[in-house]
Amino acid sequence: MSAANSRPAAFFMRDHPAMRPERYNMREAEAKWRKAWSEAGVFRTLNADPRPKYYVLEMFPYPSGRIHMGHVRNYAMGDVVARFRRARGFNVLHPMGWDAFGMPAENAAMKNNTHPAAWTYANIDSMRAQLQSMGLSLDWSREIATCDPSYYRHQQKLFLDFLAAGLVARKKSKVNWDPVDHTVLANEQVIDGRGWRSGAVVEQRELTQWFLRITDFSEDLLSSLDRLERWPEKVRLMQRNWIGRSEGLMVRFVIDPASVGALEGEPGTNELEIYTTRPDTLFGAKFMAIAPDHPLAAAAARHDPKLQAFIEECRRVGTSVAAIETAEKKGYDIGLRVFHPFDPEWRLPVYVANFILMDYGTGAIFGCPAHDQRDLDFVNVYGLGATPVVCPPDVDPATFTVNTVAYDGDGVMINSRFLDGMTIEAAKEEVARRLEAVTIGNAPQARRQVNFKLRDWGISRQRYWGCPIPVIHCEDCGVVPVPETDLPVRLPEDVTFDQPGNPLDRHPTWKHVACPRCGKPARRETDTMDTFVDSSWYFVRFTDPTNETAPTDPAVANHWLPVDQYIGGIEHAILHLLYSRFFTRAMRKCGHVGIDEPFAGLFTQGMVVHETYRDGCGQWVAPNEVQIDAEGGARRAIMIDTGEPVEIGPVEKMSKSKHNTVDPDEIIETYGADTARWFMLSDSPPERDVIWTEAGVQGAYKQTQRLWRLVCEIERVVGPERPARPQAFGEEAKRIRQVAHAALARIEDEIEKLRFNVCIAQIYEFANALSSAVGAIDAAPVADDLAYAFAEAGDILVHCFAPMMPHLAEECWEVLGHDGFVSGSPWPEADRGLIVSDSVTYVVQVNGKKRGELTLPREAGNPAIESSALALDAVARAMDNKPVRKVIIVPNRIVNVVV
RNA sequence: GCGGACGUGGCGAAACCGGUAGACGCAAGGGACUUAAAAUCCCUCGGCCAAAAGCCGUGCGGGUUCGAUCCCCGCCGUCCGCACCA
């Protein structure tokens, strides 16, 4: 149905206002407009469109099968931006796709005996239908799914390009290994050191894995953060800390040969190299500590079964930093002693300690308990003591001690011989200078080093449902890339999940291939890629999603990129965003794009949270099983079925386990997509969590009806013809125009800043003002000037809420007598000249406390303002006959009389 | 453990760059309309006080300032991330 076809009905209604339905039938209207948009292709985007581009993107969803309220919020926000920019004359790219590889499909396969592909594509179909029911202005012709060979073949090409460019490495790395299920476990699958499915104690295993060399870009990824001005400061800070640049010193400690004992002949028993960012605290050292995975620890363990047991105990904690660092500090003295670099008489014990990470620095430290909390916790277990070497300002060095809280602040060096009295910085410099000058075995004892916490990105996954890594292992030729003509390396379809391990590895034929180089029998790589790889370039693929010959067309990609506004959850603040920034740089190096920062503007939205409910037995109860009564301010909940009382619990993130989810389908069915979108945007600032409440969504529903009635009322007082602009406006018409244009200016500012909740409050204020103006009219239609003002205000109002409630807006647009779509019509121009008023209201304060108000002409000068202020009764009373000391006048705002 | 954020009425919140604290909405209470209900419309709504005047009030304790929700210092509480979840 085209908009033109609906004209007769609209005319009929305008001629007979009484015939217009009292209530807006969202169910019919929403379906009607979605169909009309789709048939007219309103949201189709052409790469060749000459208008300025605007790329708005929301993080694409994992196809779990059902959308949740978090999606509704995320996509509602993105759609507001897309629709607003479109109205502002931009050629908007607003695509959607599916982050479709990943573990849940394999878990479902194991549980339900379905194939991951079948499960995933079925989920995509149902989620697409759900998203479409939201009325999002998406270009569905650009839809992509990362699990589709038409997508991952290009990802394999990118991998090969990266390989050729030296951006790929093979290294050993540890994984959580479940000895019963014969599978690698994700950190989230390790619960209290045991596999989630088998319950077996998890081991750590070393596997040779594929890595992307993100650390090649550490410095660039860090310094470029300064240029990302439209990113939240907190995300930039999180990335800065994650990259973790530090300037420190590598120091070689000589091991006392007398302490080597049974380790004689083992490698690495001459010296121990450590990395420190605090060389200034060297005189506070109490011990050395090495990681359980340190080669020296392994060497020592070969001679000491108890140490071996200790190391294995450490490994059971798991591979996650959080687990390692929260575990109680434990160590094992391996008997070695090292010489203090500045005192050959001073020897320090060497421990293997569970809180030292092999991945950072050299996997070895010197421990200075007085100034590092972890070291202090450690010595407090082993009774090694703590000597403070940095004294806080204004503290007496003679009495300063450290017992349970380490001091990591600024201060002056003490107890440190030649460093005493220096600042921390000077002491660091002095230690570095002296140790650089000492030569041990042809090399200086210390060297300055910039270190990063950032590690290379391990992308190997021993799983089926991911993008195959396109290489072949040949006994003679080694690692051989799959020739590009053989891409894609497709996942075999005939796999089963009824036994443990990786289906690709145990597939009878898939991995057996001829070496592309020598032709001898060889085997395919059976690891697949981390799904973060899939999501690290999908935003590029959207610019040219059907390109069959290459991952991108660089010219097209460079036209659209960077994404102007990216919107998604804060949980992706580090990994996804950092990997995407790296990937863009890597793609640039290989000639696929010409930019290095993929997302110019980033917005991180808060979660959708909900009250939790439990019945008498403590079982979780879902919101749709509960009825809430609020009388006299007290809220009580009962089970709808039984009337049994229900306990209202704390508000928490919506999760299946707590049964506090709300199904978007049900909400859209009951209230309509517009209401759901409106409520998601109206209640809380978008970056903060929003609490889903039944009362809130009902309130939003009421507002949709109110706006509908208001627009119908406006149409009634305006009359059936769109009024022409009159020569002059009366007082009331002027006032209405002023209200409308002021509202428009504010609302567009707020949308621009993504402050949707404030924007909606402004729409309410505008609607309230219009509503009373219309209510004051008793004879319709009104005079020409008023009719014009009302019609103009009505158009503005509809435009203002159209990005949030697009279906209702189309319906209202039609009522106001327009052809075509409001979704396709330009944003009205706010006449900012209309907005300035002739008078200004000052707040009058005495000593900073409000005592009255004063309305004066805009052009009033300071002396006039001052004398009017002092003339106020309330001011005189508050001054209490005291003399005026000073009068502060803030232009157009405030007068403060200081007495 | 490390890192990051947040805290304002009964509730969600607003307050431009340090300048009227509580816009707007929800809930609640009162009223109108109605046979009744729903819907709709009007009024009240931070605390103390009968009211006016006034005083108190932005997690807590200090500080800077003519003036602090906003800046500084120190606490308390809540939430999030931590590299194989996506």
Side-chain angles (χ1 to χ4, degrees):
Chain A
M1 183 188 72
S2 74
N5 286 345
S6 66
R7 293 284 294 170
F11 275 124
F12 175 78
M13 289 204 290
R14 243 193 304 287
D15 290 342
H16 301 85
M19 297 295 290
R20 186 169 298 128
E22 258 304 293
R23 299 179 72 75
Y24 165 65
N25 185 337
M26 54 79 198
R27 201 183 311 237
E28 274 175 29
E30 291 189 351
K32 175 178 83 179
W33 290 111
R34 278 200 294 274
K35 191 154 170 276
W37 291 328
S38 161
E39 281 167 7
V42 194
F43 308 128
R44 185 68 57 90
T45 304
L46 301 176
N47 286 345
D49 192 309
R51 291 173 298 172
K53 69 96 183 181
Y54 195 92
Y55 188 176
V56 53
L57 184 68
E58 301 95 66
M59 291 179 185
F60 66 164
Y62 179 79
S64 60
R66 312 284 302 163
I67 63 168
H68 53 68
M69 279 300 164
H71 293 126
V72 174
R73 194 175 190 207
N74 190 190
Y75 300 131
M77 288 179 193
D79 203 42
V80 172
V81 176
R83 287 173 179 274
F84 177 70
R85 291 290 163 181
R86 215 175 272 116
R88 299 301 296 254
F90 290 90
N91 182 35
V92 170
L93 178 58
H94 187 212
M96 181 57 71
W98 310 97
D99 190 10
F101 274 136
M103 291 206 308
E106 289 192 50
N107 293 336
M110 277 178 251
K111 205 170 145 203
N112 311 322
N113 198 27
T114 55
H115 192 281
W119 184 85
T120 302
Y121 282 104
N123 284 350
I124 287 175
D125 286 342
S126 52
M127 281 180 77
R128 185 192 303 107
Q130 287 188 300
L131 286 184
Q132 284 174 341
S133 75
M134 283 182 65
L136 303 169
S137 64
L138 292 164
D139 181 356
W140 282 102
S141 73
R142 292 176 185 252
E143 179 181 353
I144 55 180
T146 57
C147 65
D148 203 283
S150 67
Y151 182 83
Y152 71 67
R153 68 176 299 167
H154 300 295
Q155 189 163 309
Q156 290 172 340
K157 159 76 170 142
L158 291 174
F159 178 90
L160 294 178
D161 286 354
F162 292 178
L163 188 64
L167 291 166
V168 178
R170 290 196 86 202
K171 292 195 263 189
K172 287 199 163 181
S173 145
K174 285 188 311 258
V175 294
N176 299 307
W177 179 259
D178 185 320
V180 171
D181 276 354
H182 295 279
T183 185
V184 176
L185 297 177
N187 284 332
E188 67 158 15
Q189 296 173 322
V190 180
I191 297 154
D192 295 330
R194 291 172 182 275
W196 66 336
R197 224 187 288 272
S198 70
V201 172
V202 170
E203 299 167 5
Q204 281 185 33
R205 280 207 177 174
E206 272 211 329
L207 298 181
T208 301
Q209 312 225 55
W210 291 98
F211 285 80
L212 296 184
R213 301 179 52 134
I214 188 172
T215 54
D216 285 5
F217 296 86
S218 299
E219 197 75 64
D220 182 25
L221 288 167
L222 179 69
S223 61
S224 299
L225 287 170
D226 296 337
R227 292 189 279 122
L228 297 175
E229 283 158 20
R230 292 200 296 118
W231 279 41
E233 187 50 45
K234 67 171 169 179
V235 174
R236 291 195 282 172
L237 192 58
M238 284 163 92
Q239 293 215 350
R240 251 177 229 126
N241 291 332
W242 188 258
I243 295 168
R245 183 182 195 276
S246 64
E247 291 178 5
L249 206 59
M250 301 284 269
V251 184
R252 292 152 61 213
F253 282 65
V254 176
I255 297 174
D256 180 358
S259 68
V260 172
L263 295 186
E264 193 69 54
E266 289 282 0
T269 50
N270 296 329
E271 59 180 49
L272 178 61
E273 189 173 36
I274 61 100
Y275 176 75
T276 179
T277 57
R278 292 298 302 271
D280 54 307
T281 62
L282 208 41
F283 287 103
K286 292 290 172 187
F287 64 96
M288 311 298 288
I290 62 177
D293 303 306
H294 195 280
L296 186 57
R302 283 195 281 274
H303 303 273
D304 183 349
K306 274 202 235 156
L307 174 58
Q308 187 59 42
F310 175 75
I311 290 172
E312 272 160 29
E313 188 193 322
C314 293
R315 286 187 178 157
R316 276 197 283 279
V317 173
T319 57
S320 87
V321 174
I324 290 166
E325 293 194 349
T326 36
E328 198 188 333
K329 305 281 177 288
K330 279 186 189 160
Y332 187 97
D333 182 351
I334 61 174
L336 290 177
R337 297 293 177 266
V338 301
F339 294 114
H340 192 282
F342 291 123
D343 185 349
E345 302 297 313
W346 184 352
R347 298 186 311 162
L348 295 158
V350 179
Y351 283 79
V352 171
N354 64 349
F355 62 99
I356 306 300
L357 304 167
M358 191 61 216
D359 291 313
Y360 187 65
T362 62
I365 61 146
F366 79 82
C368 175
H371 304 290
D372 184 291
Q373 191 61 47
R374 290 164 301 182
D375 297 349
L376 183 61
D377 294 343
F378 183 77
V379 298
N380 284 342
V381 175
Y382 295 95
L384 301 174
T387 306
V389 291
V390 177
C391 186
D394 309 321
V395 172
D396 178 8
T399 58
F400 180 54
T401 56
V402 170
N403 299 308
T404 55
V405 181
Y407 179 72
D408 61 1
D410 214 346
V412 172
M413 303 310 299
I414 54 169
N415 302 327
S416 295
R417 307 186 191 180
F418 54 85
L419 300 175
D420 282 351
M422 290 185 185
T423 62
I424 290 175
E425 279 317 304
K428 281 181 179 171
E429 182 59 33
E430 181 64 19
V431 169
R433 211 177 47 75
R434 289 191 183 220
L435 290 182
E436 277 172 331
V438 176
T439 301
I440 307 175
N442 289 331
Q445 184 166 15
R447 61 197 157 87
R448 292 166 211 251
Q449 169 124 350
V450 171
N451 237 346
F452 293 92
K453 259 196 323 222
L454 184 66
R455 312 199 297 254
D456 275 334
W457 173 15
I459 60 158
S460 281
R461 297 292 181 271
Q462 294 70 40
R463 302 182 202 287
Y464 168 76
W465 195 232
C467 173
I469 294 176
V471 299
I472 290 165
H473 300 275
C474 171
E475 277 200 16
D476 293 350
C477 310
V479 170
V480 182
V482 171
E484 280 181 27
T485 48
D486 293 350
L487 295 184
V489 175
R490 284 173 187 270
L491 288 169
E493 284 170 28
D494 51 336
V495 286
T496 54
F497 294 86
D498 49 2
Q499 34 181 319
N502 179 358
L504 289 181
D505 201 33
R506 63 164 187 269
H507 190 278
T509 57
W510 185 77
K511 71 177 172 185
H512 303 295
V513 287
C515 170
R517 203 163 287 165
C518 69
K520 278 196 202 154
R523 71 182 172 79
R524 282 194 193 286
E525 173 63 65
T526 57
D527 284 354
T528 53
M529 294 185 208
D530 178 8
T531 56
F532 272 124
V533 179
D534 313 340
S535 56
S536 289
W537 71 286
Y538 77 108
F539 46 88
V540 188
R541 185 68 186 167
F542 276 137
T543 64
D544 191 19
T546 54
N547 189 331
E548 286 180 19
T549 57
T552 67
D553 176 337
V556 173
N558 294 340
H559 166 69
W560 281 112
L561 292 168
V563 174
D564 295 279
Q565 186 64 61
Y566 195 36
I567 306 177
I570 185 71
E571 66 273 20
H572 293 295
I574 297 172
L575 292 183
H576 162 59
L577 292 168
L578 193 60
Y579 291 153
S580 298
R581 295 180 61 218
F582 157 70
F583 226 81
T584 307
R585 285 164 169 76
M587 286 176 75
R588 172 155 129 159
K589 194 169 174 188
C590 300
H592 293 287
V593 294
I595 54 142
D596 54 9
E597 285 299 341
F599 311 120
L602 172 70
F603 188 85
T604 54
Q605 106 252 6
M607 295 182 300
V608 182
V609 295
H610 197 288
E611 276 180 336
T612 49
Y613 308 103
R614 285 180 198 250
D615 65 15
C617 316
Q619 295 296 304
W620 300 107
V621 179
N624 60 4
E625 300 172 294
V626 173
Q627 185 186 323
I628 309 278
D629 296 305
E631 235 155 281
R635 296 173 74 248
R636 273 187 315 273
I638 53 164
M639 293 290 290
I640 292 171
D641 287 352
T642 61
E644 185 196 342
V646 170
E647 189 196 337
I648 301 179
V651 171
E652 296 194 54
K653 177 179 181 171
M654 283 191 180
S655 77
K656 284 193 181 115
S657 63
K658 290 189 175 145
H659 291 218
N660 63 337
T661 57
V662 169
D663 180 18
D665 261 1
E666 275 179 40
I667 299 300
I668 291 171
E669 179 66 18
T670 314
Y671 299 102
D674 284 343
T675 298
R677 295 166 57 131
W678 187 253
F679 177 49
M680 282 289 85
L681 297 169
S682 68
D683 234 35
S684 287
E687 68 279 7
R688 222 182 283 176
D689 290 352
V690 63
I691 304 177
W692 181 275
T693 62
E694 193 62 21
V697 72
Q698 280 170 9
Y701 179 73
K702 238 164 49 180
Q703 297 295 343
T704 63
Q705 298 295 347
R706 244 189 96 213
L707 288 168
W708 166 251
R709 281 196 309 274
L710 174 57
V711 169
C712 294
E713 278 298 294
I714 288 172
E715 190 275 333
R716 188 181 63 82
V717 300
V718 168
E721 298 298 325
R722 297 253 347 142
R725 189 185 170 109
Q727 294 294 314
F729 292 100
E731 276 307 305
E732 177 64 357
K734 265 193 211 158
R735 194 188 64 84
I736 290 166
R737 296 197 70 216
Q738 204 236 330
V739 164
H741 282 267
L744 175 60
R746 279 199 301 267
I747 287 162
E748 71 187 39
D749 286 349
E750 299 299 351
I751 296 183
E752 200 99 40
K753 289 186 246 166
L754 311 180
R755 289 161 37 99
F756 308 118
N757 59 323
V758 183
C759 171
I760 285 176
Q762 302 284 0
I763 291 173
Y764 283 148
E765 227 165 318
F766 178 24
N768 289 346
L770 265 185
S771 201
S772 27
V774 174
I777 305 291
D778 28 45
V782 293
D784 286 356
D785 66 328
L786 255 188
Y788 180 86
F790 273 123
E792 182 189 35
D795 287 355
I796 288 174
L797 178 69
V798 172
H799 264 290
C800 286
F801 69 74
M804 292 114 182
M805 296 202 285
H807 311 88
L808 175 66
E810 295 293 0
E811 198 73 14
C812 291
W813 195 241
E814 190 176 78
V815 166
L816 290 174
H818 294 283
D819 283 322
F821 300 104
V822 67
S823 304
S825 72
W827 190 258
E829 183 92 22
D831 184 346
R832 296 194 183 229
L834 273 178
I835 300 167
V836 189
S837 85
D838 317 333
S839 61
V840 177
T841 300
Y842 285 86
V843 166
V844 182
Q845 297 178 332
V846 176
N847 286 344
K849 282 197 169 174
K850 183 188 169 186
R851 296 297 169 179
E853 281 184 6
L854 195 60
T855 301
L856 292 170
R858 181 165 289 275
E859 62 275 7
N862 281 2
I865 295 168
E866 186 174 328
S867 57
S868 315
L870 290 171
L872 290 176
D873 281 354
V875 172
R877 217 178 309 134
M879 283 172 63
D880 197 21
N881 291 324
K882 292 184 190 118
V884 175
R885 275 216 345 244
K886 196 156 67 158
V887 177
I888 294 161
I889 296 174
V890 182
N892 300 333
R893 213 173 279 268
I894 219 157
V895 184
N896 188 12
V897 181
V898 185
V899 298

